[in-house]
Coordinates of all heavy atoms in Angstrom, one line a residue:
I82 N 104.3 84.2 120.2 CA 105.1 83.1 120.7 C 106.6 83.6 120.7 O 107.3 83.4 121.7 CB 105.0 81.8 119.9 CG1 103.5 81.3 120.0 CG2 106.0 80.8 120.3 CD1 103.2 80.2 119.1
A83 N 107.0 84.2 119.6 CA 108.4 84.7 119.6 C 108.7 85.7 120.6 O 109.8 85.7 121.3 CB 108.6 85.3 118.2
R84 N 107.8 86.6 120.9 CA 108.0 87.7 121.9 C 108.1 87.0 123.3 O 109.0 87.4 124.1 CB 106.8 88.7 121.9 CG 107.1 89.8 122.8 CD 106.0 90.9 122.6 NE 106.4 92.1 123.3 CZ 106.0 92.4 124.5 NH1 105.2 91.6 125.2 NH2 106.3 93.6 125.1
N85 N 107.2 86.1 123.5 CA 107.3 85.4 124.8 C 108.6 84.6 125.0 O 109.2 84.7 126.1 CB 106.1 84.4 125.0 CG 104.8 85.2 125.2 OD1 104.8 86.3 125.6 ND2 103.7 84.5 124.8
R86 N 109.1 84.0 123.9 CA 110.3 83.3 124.0 C 111.5 84.3 124.2 O 112.4 84.0 124.9 CB 110.6 82.4 122.8 CG 109.7 81.2 122.5 CD 109.8 80.2 123.7 NE 108.4 79.8 124.0 CZ 107.8 80.2 125.1 NH1 108.4 80.9 126.0 NH2 106.6 79.8 125.3
A87 N 111.4 85.4 123.5 CA 112.4 86.4 123.6 C 112.5 87.0 125.1 O 113.6 87.2 125.6 CB 112.2 87.6 122.6
L88 N 111.3 87.3 125.6 CA 111.3 87.8 127.0 C 111.9 86.7 128.0 O 112.6 87.1 128.9 CB 109.9 88.2 127.4 CG 109.4 89.4 126.6 CD1 107.9 89.7 127.0 CD2 110.2 90.6 126.8
D89 N 111.5 85.4 127.8 CA 112.0 84.4 128.6 C 113.6 84.3 128.4 O 114.3 84.2 129.4 CB 111.5 83.0 128.2 CG 110.0 82.8 128.5 OD1 109.5 83.6 129.3 OD2 109.4 81.9 128.0
H90 N 114.0 84.4 127.2 CA 115.5 84.4 127.0 C 116.2 85.6 127.7 O 117.2 85.4 128.3 CB 115.7 84.5 125.4 CG 117.2 84.6 125.1 ND1 118.0 83.5 125.1 CD2 117.9 85.7 124.7 CE1 119.2 83.9 124.7 NE2 119.2 85.2 124.5
L91 N 115.6 86.8 127.6 CA 116.2 87.9 128.2 C 116.3 87.7 129.8 O 117.2 88.1 130.4 CB 115.5 89.2 127.9 CG 115.6 89.6 126.4 CD1 114.7 90.8 126.1 CD2 117.1 90.0 126.1
R92 N 115.2 87.1 130.3 CA 115.2 86.9 131.8 C 116.3 85.9 132.1 O 117.0 86.0 133.1 CB 113.9 86.4 132.2 CG 112.8 87.5 132.4 CD 111.6 86.9 133.1 NE 110.8 86.1 132.2 CZ 109.8 86.6 131.4 NH1 109.6 87.8 131.3 NH2 109.2 85.7 130.7
R93 N 116.5 84.8 131.3 CA 117.5 83.8 131.5 C 118.9 84.4 131.5 O 119.7 84.1 132.4 CB 117.4 82.7 130.5 CG 116.6 81.5 130.9 CD 116.8 80.3 130.0 NE 116.8 80.6 128.6 CZ 115.8 80.6 127.7 NH1 114.6 80.4 128.2 NH2 116.0 80.9 126.5
I94 N 119.2 85.2 130.5 CA 120.6 85.7 130.4 C 120.8 86.7 131.5 O 122.0 86.9 131.8 CB 120.9 86.2 129.0 CG1 120.1 87.4 128.6 CG2 120.9 85.1 128.0 CD1 120.5 88.0 127.3
K95 N 119.8 87.4 131.9 CA 120.0 88.3 133.0 C 120.3 87.6 134.3 O 121.2 88.1 135.1 CB 118.7 89.1 133.2 CG 118.8 90.3 134.2 CD 117.6 91.1 134.2 CE 117.8 92.3 135.1 NZ 116.6 93.1 135.1
L96 N 119.8 86.4 134.5 CA 120.1 85.6 135.7 C 121.4 84.9 135.5 O 122.1 84.7 136.5 CB 119.0 84.5 135.9 CG 117.6 85.0 136.3 CD1 116.6 83.9 136.3 CD2 117.7 85.8 137.6
R97 N 121.8 84.6 134.3 CA 123.0 83.8 134.0 C 123.7 84.4 132.8 O 123.7 83.9 131.7 CB 122.6 82.4 133.7 CG 123.6 81.4 134.0 CD 123.0 80.0 133.8 NE 121.6 79.9 133.4 CZ 121.3 79.4 132.2 NH1 122.1 78.8 131.4 NH2 120.0 79.4 131.8
P98 N 124.4 85.6 133.0 CA 125.1 86.2 131.9 C 126.1 85.3 131.2 O 126.8 84.5 131.9 CB 125.7 87.5 132.5 CG 125.3 87.5 133.9 CD 124.7 86.2 134.3
R99 N 126.3 85.5 130.0 CA 127.3 84.8 129.2 C 128.7 85.4 129.5 O 128.8 86.6 129.7 CB 127.0 84.9 127.7 CG 126.0 84.0 127.3 CD 126.1 83.8 125.8 NE 125.1 83.0 125.3 CZ 124.4 83.1 124.2 NH1 124.6 84.1 123.5 NH2 123.4 82.3 123.9
T100 N 129.7 84.6 129.3 CA 131.0 85.1 129.5 C 131.7 85.2 128.1 O 132.7 85.9 128.0 CB 131.9 84.2 130.4 OG1 131.8 82.9 129.9 CG2 131.3 84.2 131.8
T101 N 131.2 84.6 127.1 CA 131.8 84.7 125.8 C 130.7 84.9 124.8 O 129.6 84.5 125.0 CB 132.6 83.4 125.4 OG1 131.7 82.3 125.4 CG2 133.8 83.2 126.4
E102 N 131.1 85.5 123.6 CA 130.1 85.7 122.5 C 130.3 84.5 121.6 O 131.4 84.2 121.2 CB 130.5 87.0 121.8 CG 129.5 87.3 120.7 CD 128.2 87.8 121.1 OE1 128.1 88.3 122.3 OE2 127.2 87.7 120.4
L103 N 129.2 83.9 121.2 CA 129.3 82.7 120.3 C 129.2 83.3 118.8 O 128.5 84.2 118.6 CB 128.1 81.8 120.5 CG 128.1 81.1 121.9 CD1 126.9 80.3 122.0 CD2 129.4 80.3 122.1
E104 N 129.9 82.7 117.9 CA 129.8 83.1 116.5 C 128.5 82.6 115.9 O 128.1 81.5 116.2 CB 131.0 82.5 115.8 CG 132.3 83.1 116.0 CD 132.4 84.5 115.6 OE1 132.0 84.8 114.5 OE2 132.9 85.3 116.3
D105 N 128.0 83.4 115.1 CA 126.8 83.0 114.3 C 127.2 82.0 113.2 O 128.0 82.4 112.4 CB 126.1 84.2 113.7 CG 125.4 85.0 114.7 OD1 125.1 84.5 115.8 OD2 125.2 86.2 114.5
A106 N 126.7 80.8 113.2 CA 127.1 79.8 112.3 C 126.0 79.4 111.3 O 126.1 78.6 110.4 CB 127.6 78.6 113.0
A107 N 124.8 80.0 111.5 CA 123.6 79.6 110.7 C 123.7 80.2 109.3 O 124.1 81.4 109.2 CB 122.3 80.1 111.4
A108 N 123.5 79.4 108.4 CA 123.5 79.9 107.0 C 122.0 80.0 106.5 O 121.2 79.2 106.8 CB 124.3 79.0 106.1
D109 N 121.8 81.0 105.7 CA 120.4 81.1 105.1 C 120.3 80.1 103.9 O 121.3 79.8 103.3 CB 120.2 82.5 104.5 CG 120.1 83.6 105.6 OD1 119.6 83.2 106.6 OD2 120.5 84.8 105.3
P110 N 119.1 79.6 103.7 CA 118.9 78.7 102.6 C 119.2 79.4 101.3 O 119.0 80.6 101.1 CB 117.5 78.3 102.7 CG 116.8 79.3 103.5 CD 117.9 79.9 104.4
P111 N 119.7 78.6 100.3 CA 120.0 79.2 99.0 C 118.7 79.7 98.3 O 117.7 79.2 98.5 CB 120.6 78.1 98.2 CG 120.2 76.8 98.9 CD 120.0 77.2 100.3
T112 N 118.9 80.8 97.6 CA 117.7 81.4 96.9 C 118.1 81.4 95.4 O 119.2 81.2 95.0 CB 117.4 82.8 97.3 OG1 118.5 83.6 97.0 CG2 117.2 82.8 98.8
E113 N 117.0 81.7 94.6 CA 117.2 81.8 93.2 C 117.7 83.1 92.8 O 118.1 83.4 91.6 CB 115.9 81.5 92.5 CG 115.4 80.1 92.7 CD 114.0 79.9 92.1 OE1 113.5 80.7 91.3 OE2 113.4 78.9 92.4
R114 N 117.8 84.1 93.7 CA 118.3 85.4 93.4 C 119.8 85.5 93.2 O 120.5 84.6 93.8 CB 117.7 86.4 94.4 CG 116.2 86.4 94.4 CD 115.6 87.0 95.6 NE 116.3 88.2 95.9 CZ 116.2 88.7 97.1 NH1 115.5 88.2 98.1 NH2 116.9 89.8 97.4
D115 N 120.3 86.5 92.6 CA 121.7 86.7 92.4 C 122.4 87.1 93.8 O 121.7 87.7 94.6 CB 122.0 87.7 91.4 CG 121.6 89.1 91.7 OD1 120.4 89.4 91.5 OD2 122.4 89.8 92.3
S116 N 123.6 86.7 93.9 CA 124.3 86.9 95.2 C 124.5 88.4 95.5 O 124.4 88.8 96.6 CB 125.7 86.3 95.1 OG 125.6 84.9 94.9
E117 N 124.7 89.2 94.5 CA 124.9 90.6 94.7 C 123.7 91.3 95.3 O 123.7 92.0 96.2 CB 125.3 91.3 93.4 CG 125.5 92.8 93.5 CD 125.9 93.5 92.2 OE1 126.2 92.8 91.2 OE2 125.8 94.7 92.2
G118 N 122.5 90.9 94.7 CA 121.3 91.5 95.1 C 121.0 91.0 96.6 O 120.5 91.8 97.4
L119 N 121.2 89.8 96.8 CA 121.0 89.2 98.2 C 121.9 89.9 99.2 O 121.5 90.3 100.3 CB 121.2 87.7 98.2 CG 120.9 87.0 99.5 CD1 119.4 87.2 99.9 CD2 121.2 85.5 99.3
A120 N 123.2 90.1 98.8 CA 124.1 90.8 99.7 C 123.7 92.2 100.0 O 123.7 92.6 101.2 CB 125.5 90.8 99.1
L121 N 123.3 92.9 99.0 CA 122.8 94.3 99.2 C 121.6 94.3 100.1 O 121.4 95.2 101.0 CB 122.5 95.0 97.9 CG 123.8 95.3 97.0 CD1 123.3 95.9 95.7 CD2 124.6 96.4 97.8
E122 N 120.6 93.4 99.9 CA 119.4 93.4 100.7 C 119.8 93.1 102.1 O 119.3 93.7 103.1 CB 118.5 92.3 100.2 CG 117.2 92.3 101.0 CD 116.2 91.2 100.4 OE1 116.0 91.2 99.2 OE2 115.7 90.4 101.3
N123 N 120.7 92.1 102.3 CA 121.1 91.8 103.7 C 121.8 92.9 104.4 O 121.6 93.2 105.6 CB 122.0 90.5 103.7 CG 121.2 89.3 103.5 OD1 120.0 89.2 103.6 ND2 121.9 88.2 103.0
L124 N 122.7 93.6 103.7 CA 123.3 94.8 104.2 C 122.3 95.9 104.6 O 122.3 96.4 105.7 CB 124.3 95.4 103.3 CG 125.6 94.6 103.1 CD1 126.5 95.3 102.0 CD2 126.4 94.6 104.4
S125 N 121.3 96.1 103.7 CA 120.3 97.2 104.0 C 119.4 96.7 105.2 O 119.0 97.5 106.0 CB 119.5 97.6 102.8 OG 118.8 96.5 102.3
T126 N 119.1 95.4 105.2 CA 118.3 94.9 106.3 C 119.1 95.0 107.6 O 118.5 95.4 108.6 CB 117.9 93.4 106.1 OG1 117.1 93.4 104.8 CG2 117.0 92.9 107.2
A127 N 120.3 94.6 107.6 CA 121.1 94.7 108.8 C 121.2 96.2 109.3 O 121.2 96.4 110.5 CB 122.5 94.1 108.6
H128 N 121.4 97.1 108.3 CA 121.6 98.5 108.7 C 120.2 99.0 109.3 O 120.2 99.7 110.3 CB 121.9 99.3 107.4 CG 122.0 100.8 107.7 ND1 123.0 101.3 108.4 CD2 121.3 101.8 107.2 CE1 122.9 102.6 108.5 NE2 121.8 102.9 107.8
A129 N 119.1 98.6 108.6 CA 117.8 99.0 109.1 C 117.6 98.5 110.6 O 117.1 99.2 111.4 CB 116.7 98.5 108.2
L130 N 117.9 97.2 110.8 CA 117.7 96.6 112.1 C 118.6 97.3 113.1 O 118.2 97.5 114.3 CB 118.0 95.1 112.1 CG 116.9 94.3 111.4 CD1 117.4 92.9 111.2 CD2 115.6 94.4 112.1
S131 N 119.8 97.7 112.8 CA 120.7 98.4 113.7 C 120.1 99.8 114.1 O 120.2 100.2 115.2 CB 122.1 98.5 113.2 OG 122.2 99.5 112.1
L132 N 119.5 100.4 113.1 CA 118.9 101.7 113.4 C 117.6 101.5 114.3 O 117.4 102.3 115.2 CB 118.5 102.4 112.1 CG 119.6 102.9 111.2 CD1 119.1 103.5 109.9 CD2 120.5 103.9 111.9
I133 N 116.8 100.5 114.0 CA 115.6 100.3 114.7 C 116.0 99.9 116.2 O 115.3 100.3 117.1 CB 114.8 99.1 114.1 CG1 114.2 99.6 112.8 CG2 113.7 98.7 115.0 CD1 113.6 98.6 111.9
A134 N 117.1 99.2 116.4 CA 117.5 98.8 117.7 C 117.8 100.1 118.6 O 117.8 100.0 119.8 CB 118.7 97.9 117.6
K135 N 118.1 101.2 118.0 CA 118.4 102.4 118.7 C 117.1 103.2 119.2 O 117.2 104.1 120.0 CB 119.3 103.4 117.9 CG 120.6 102.8 117.6 CD 121.4 103.7 116.7 CE 122.8 103.0 116.4 NZ 123.6 103.8 115.4
L136 N 116.0 102.7 118.7 CA 114.7 103.4 119.1 C 114.4 102.9 120.5 O 114.8 101.9 120.9 CB 113.6 102.9 118.1 CG 113.7 103.4 116.7 CD1 112.6 102.8 115.8 CD2 113.6 104.9 116.6
P137 N 113.5 103.7 121.2 CA 112.9 103.2 122.4 C 112.2 101.9 122.2 O 111.7 101.7 121.1 CB 111.9 104.3 122.8 CG 112.4 105.6 122.1 CD 113.1 105.1 120.8
R138 N 112.2 101.0 123.2 CA 111.7 99.7 123.0 C 110.3 99.6 122.4 O 110.0 98.8 121.5 CB 111.8 98.9 124.3 CG 111.4 97.5 124.1 CD 111.5 96.7 125.5 NE 111.1 95.3 125.2 CZ 111.9 94.3 125.3 NH1 113.2 94.5 125.6 NH2 111.5 93.1 125.1
D139 N 109.4 100.4 122.9 CA 108.0 100.4 122.5 C 107.9 100.7 121.0 O 107.2 100.1 120.2 CB 107.1 101.2 123.3 CG 107.3 102.7 123.2 OD1 108.5 103.1 123.1 OD2 106.4 103.5 123.2
Q140 N 108.7 101.7 120.6 CA 108.7 102.1 119.2 C 109.4 101.1 118.3 O 108.9 100.7 117.2 CB 109.4 103.5 119.0 CG 108.7 104.6 119.6 CD 109.5 105.9 119.5 OE1 110.5 106.0 118.8 NE2 109.0 106.9 120.3
A141 N 110.5 100.5 118.8 CA 111.2 99.5 118.0 C 110.3 98.3 117.8 O 110.2 97.8 116.6 CB 112.5 99.1 118.7
E142 N 109.6 97.8 118.8 CA 108.7 96.6 118.7 C 107.6 96.9 117.7 O 107.2 96.1 116.9 CB 108.2 96.2 120.0 CG 109.2 95.3 120.8 CD 108.5 94.5 121.9 OE1 108.0 93.5 121.6 OE2 108.5 95.0 123.0
A143 N 107.0 98.1 117.9 CA 105.9 98.5 117.0 C 106.3 98.5 115.5 O 105.6 98.0 114.7 CB 105.3 99.8 117.4
V144 N 107.4 99.1 115.3 CA 108.0 99.2 113.9 C 108.3 97.8 113.4 O 107.9 97.4 112.2 CB 109.2 100.1 113.8 CG1 109.9 99.9 112.5 CG2 108.8 101.5 114.1

Side-chain angles (χ1 to χ4, degrees):
I82 294 170
R84 185 172 193 267
N85 290 336
R86 291 302 132 252
L88 295 175
D89 289 347
H90 175 78
L91 292 172
R92 280 190 288 272
R93 263 192 320 270
I94 63 172
K95 189 174 185 178
L96 294 174
R97 205 171 6 116
R99 280 198 184 140
T100 56
T101 61
E102 183 74 23
L103 298 176
E104 287 294 317
D105 290 333
D109 289 330
T112 64
E113 296 175 11
R114 296 168 41 204
D115 65 273
S116 298
E117 180 182 347
L119 186 58
L121 289 173
E122 181 180 313
N123 286 340
L124 284 174
S125 62
T126 299
H128 179 68
L130 289 171
S131 71
L132 294 176
I133 291 169
K135 294 177 184 176
L136 293 173
R138 185 181 180 111
D139 66 323
Q140 293 176 12
E142 279 197 85
V144 169

